[in-house]
Amino acid sequence: MKDVSPTEAAPKIQGKNATKTLEKTTPLTEVVISLYEAQEKIYPRSTSGFFTKWRWVMIWLTQLFFYGVPWINWGHRQALLFDLETKRFYIFNLVLYPQDLIYLTAILVISALSLFLFTAIAGRLWCGYTCPQTVYTEIFLWIERKIEGDRAARMKLDTAAMTTKKLVKKSCKHFAWIAFALWTGFTFVGYFTPIRALANELIHLNISPWETFWVCFYGFATYGNAGFLREQVCKYMCPYARFQSAMFDDDTLVVTYDEARGEPRGGRSRKLETSKTLGSCIDCSLCVQVCPTGIDIRKGLQYECIGCGACADVCDTVMDKMGYARGLIKYSTQNTMTNKWSHKQMMQRILRPRVIIYTSILAFLVSALLASLWLRTPFRVDVIRDRGVMARLADGGMLENVYRLQIMNGTESIQHYQLNATGIKGLLIEVDGTEINQDVIVKPAESRWLSLRLEIPDGSVEPGSYPVEFEIKSLQSKETVTEKSIFLVPR
Ligand code: SF4
Ligand code: SF4
């Protein structure tokens, strides 16, 4: 196929994931399709208004939580800590072991279902207000604006030749971004290793290679995603953007442009009556300039829209200046726009079957999780039969089987336990060679492995496999946990 020059170019086709450029070389058939086109940088203009305020409220809340919680102590330790080294998860007064993974799984399922419910009611509010990608992009944009100025100044700076002033501005911006990103990486690692110890290591330049790697890795991810990739993460990388449409219906709140009221759009003098020739849209393009994903909401709902409401805020200011009613761009539903419903009618549609089903499942799962946590015994036990030793004759004509037993103390105080075994007449239990006549002591939030022997007089029962039960009783809580195993009597 022969190469073609750009001057011969023909129309562009906008696809979802790529821009295809059709270039005709002859009037007949030769066509070059480019599946890649460099992204044009988006320079979102700053805005203010009701939704912008709420976005900043959410940014403050989420960031106060993220950066603040690791520094909160609960007793003598960090309140929220996923300690990978000791394999303990501390969530305030709850101590979870890897065996409690079911609780973490349940929390993840509940979070996912909450997102479904939230999306069915209010669309992509999660994306626009609380998603880390949006939140960090907004923070990085704020830093960028403070150093380089608003949209027009940034565009001008980027196209200008490199001067000392430009170099200083760019260096300051990247320095601030990197410092913020590293702080984010440090905080993230502080959820997995005690943050005070980590800070101490950092101050004394004694931080371990793995901790250094994860701080830099997470910091680099923040720097890259919020500083450079920005809306491309939402458009091309985020899986939620792909399947969220399955959770939308005609009663889901989305950011909408009131086409009936806005069209035909066009510039006009402030005094011109809209009703005569033009709709309310003055075609100022401010709604496009403030959009962090660079779309034009006037073309209808698009999957790139993250529901941030910036376009609604800026359009309201334009409407105010023109003396028109607010709400040319607003949160509304498809049904409301089509059927001209009132606000009350729109809100009444929130309680629809899909929402009721999601809410019921969510309520059930949350109740089950809370009940399970409430009824959870404060210790766990695992018994493993020693498969290397089938059965053997011990001193005194006794036949013994060997086991390993682990007691995990899920409380934050020293616990005393009593062990017992039942299932065969005359069954004796020994712990590490000593007949069990004293308590087993396990330190706070620790686990202890014990080597156990069950013994019966040789010949007292027929050869075979006998079920036995270990009973472990906490002397503090008086709760008892039983674990099943088998006792082998060889021929
Ligand atoms: S901000 Fe409002 S008036 Fe301006 S172009 Fe957008 S929809 Fe039209
Ligand atoms: S179209 Fe409006 S609501 Fe959607 S992302 Fe752009 S500015 Fe935000």
Side-chain angles (χ1 to χ4, degrees):
M1 188 178 293
K2 113 180 166 170
D3 280 349
V4 292
S5 78
T7 51
E8 296 170 298
K12 282 186 173 180
I13 296 177
Q14 295 289 335
K16 275 194 171 182
N17 297 321
T19 301
K20 301 172 184 176
T21 307
L22 301 183
E23 299 184 3
K24 294 179 192 168
T25 54
T26 70
L28 293 175
T29 52
E30 285 198 34
V31 173
V32 173
I33 299 176
S34 168
L35 293 176
Y36 177 78
E37 186 179 74
Q39 289 286 327
E40 269 188 33
K41 189 174 171 185
I42 294 172
Y43 297 85
R45 189 190 182 106
S46 65
T47 182
S48 59
F50 180 79
F51 300 114
T52 307
K53 276 194 196 120
W54 270 108
R55 215 162 51 248
W56 277 102
V57 167
M58 295 313 293
I59 288 172
W60 274 102
L61 288 179
T62 50
Q63 297 318 290
L64 279 176
F65 181 91
F66 177 73
Y67 294 104
V69 164
W71 296 96
I72 297 173
N73 268 1
W74 188 265
H76 63 284
R77 58 151 173 92
Q78 199 167 311
L80 190 61
L81 179 66
F82 300 92
D83 195 337
L84 297 179
E85 198 179 333
T86 59
K87 298 191 181 71
R88 306 274 186 286
F89 300 145
Y90 301 98
I91 306 172
F92 292 87
N93 72 340
L94 196 65
V95 183
L96 299 178
Y97 290 84
Q99 287 83 349
D100 292 315
L101 202 65
I102 184 75
Y103 292 115
L104 292 178
T105 313
I107 290 170
L108 286 179
V109 171
I110 287 170
S111 306
L113 205 62
S114 306
L115 193 59
F116 291 175
L117 173 64
F118 201 53
T119 307
I121 295 174
R124 291 184 74 179
L125 283 193
W126 158 262
C127 300
Y129 292 79
T130 42
C131 171
Q133 176 61 27
T134 315
V135 165
Y136 285 114
T137 300
E138 196 69 40
I139 294 170
F140 273 53
L141 262 173
W142 180 84
I143 294 172
E144 193 170 67
R145 276 189 203 116
K146 289 289 161 203
I147 296 172
E148 294 184 357
D150 205 0
R151 177 183 156 90
R154 296 203 306 277
M155 290 170 86
K156 195 172 162 200
L157 188 72
D158 276 2
T159 49
M162 183 58 78
T163 58
T164 313
K165 194 177 166 194
K166 179 172 176 176
L167 186 66
V168 169
K169 281 192 173 185
K170 291 282 175 194
S171 305
C172 287
K173 179 181 82 174
H174 285 282
F175 178 79
W177 279 1
I178 290 170
F180 188 83
L182 286 176
W183 179 33
T184 308
F186 167 81
T187 306
F188 181 74
V189 174
Y191 279 90
F192 298 94
T193 188
I195 199 162
R196 283 181 165 78
L198 187 68
N200 201 31
E201 288 170 11
L202 194 63
I203 290 165
H204 295 98
L205 299 179
N206 195 24
I207 187 166
S208 76
W210 271 115
E211 287 165 345
T212 309
F213 169 79
W214 285 112
V215 168
C216 293
F217 179 84
Y218 196 79
F220 178 75
T222 309
Y223 176 65
N225 286 339
F228 300 93
L229 292 177
R230 294 187 175 174
E231 79 289 344
Q232 294 181 51
V233 175
C234 310
K235 280 174 159 179
Y236 307 123
M237 293 157 74
C238 176
Y240 176 55
R242 304 283 147 191
F243 66 76
Q244 40 125 7
S245 56
M247 289 169 256
F248 274 47
D249 59 23
D250 288 347
D251 291 307
T252 300
L253 276 173
V254 286
V255 175
T256 29
Y257 166 69
D258 189 344
E259 197 176 336
R261 186 188 142 191
E263 301 297 323
R265 68 186 77 158
R268 82 284 312 263
S269 131
R270 254 187 221 191
K271 295 188 183 81
L272 188 71
E273 282 292 323
T274 54
S275 55
K276 287 186 182 157
T277 50
L278 293 167
S280 294
C281 176
I282 64 166
D283 208 11
C284 61
S285 87
L286 284 177
C287 50
V288 183
Q289 293 178 32
V290 296
C291 179
T293 62
I295 59 169
D296 185 346
I297 194 66
R298 293 172 299 171
K299 291 180 182 165
L301 181 64
Q302 294 145 75
Y303 81 101
E304 294 98 332
C305 175
I306 57 169
C308 67
C311 52
D313 271 344
V314 80
C315 191
D316 277 349
T317 26
V318 174
M319 295 296 107
D320 287 349
K321 278 183 192 153
M322 296 300 295
Y324 301 161
R326 288 181 158 212
L328 179 57
I329 300 177
K330 61 186 173 192
Y331 283 96
S332 187
T333 67
Q334 194 62 48
N335 271 337
T336 307
M337 299 303 285
T338 313
N339 305 317
K340 307 266 181 263
W341 281 353
S342 66
H343 184 73
K344 192 176 167 197
Q345 283 173 306
M346 181 178 83
M347 297 312 279
Q348 280 169 345
R349 284 294 299 165
I350 285 180
L351 271 185
R352 54 196 189 276
R354 173 191 295 243
V355 171
I356 293 169
I357 291 170
Y358 284 157
T359 310
S360 310
I361 298 174
L362 197 58
F364 172 76
L365 286 179
V366 171
S367 311
L369 176 66
L370 292 178
S372 169
L373 283 172
W374 181 258
L375 299 172
R376 173 178 175 266
T377 50
F379 64 101
R380 283 183 158 270
V381 177
D382 266 350
V383 176
I384 303 167
R385 202 174 171 283
D386 189 342
R387 296 187 188 278
V389 185
M390 284 282 286
R392 65 188 177 200
L393 276 175
D395 293 342
M398 303 297 278
L399 180 74
E400 69 179 20
N401 278 205
V402 183
Y403 306 82
R404 278 178 57 75
L405 179 138
Q406 185 188 26
I407 303 179
M408 289 162 271
N409 178 3
T411 71
E412 306 230 32
S413 57
I414 292 176
Q415 294 289 314
H416 294 244
Y417 301 97
Q418 275 183 347
L419 309 189
N420 192 20
T422 56
I424 309 174
K425 199 167 172 230
L427 194 64
L428 294 176
I429 181 168
E430 283 191 13
V431 181
D432 292 334
T434 309
E435 190 163 331
I436 187 138
N437 54 7
Q438 57 189 37
D439 307 339
V440 174
I441 299 171
V442 186
K443 289 182 185 166
E446 288 202 357
S447 63
R448 184 171 165 189
W449 281 99
L450 300 165
S451 183
L452 291 183
R453 280 181 256 281
L454 291 188
E455 294 183 347
I456 55 170
D458 187 28
S460 62
V461 293
E462 292 293 315
S465 167
Y466 294 85
V468 287
E469 260 188 8
F470 291 89
E471 288 176 4
I472 300 90
K473 182 178 178 185
S474 162
L475 296 184
Q476 275 78 18
S477 68
K478 307 293 179 207
E479 285 174 276
T480 302
V481 171
T482 55
E483 277 289 308
K484 290 188 168 70
S485 189
I486 54 162
F487 187 96
L488 290 179
V489 180
R491 291 180 191 282

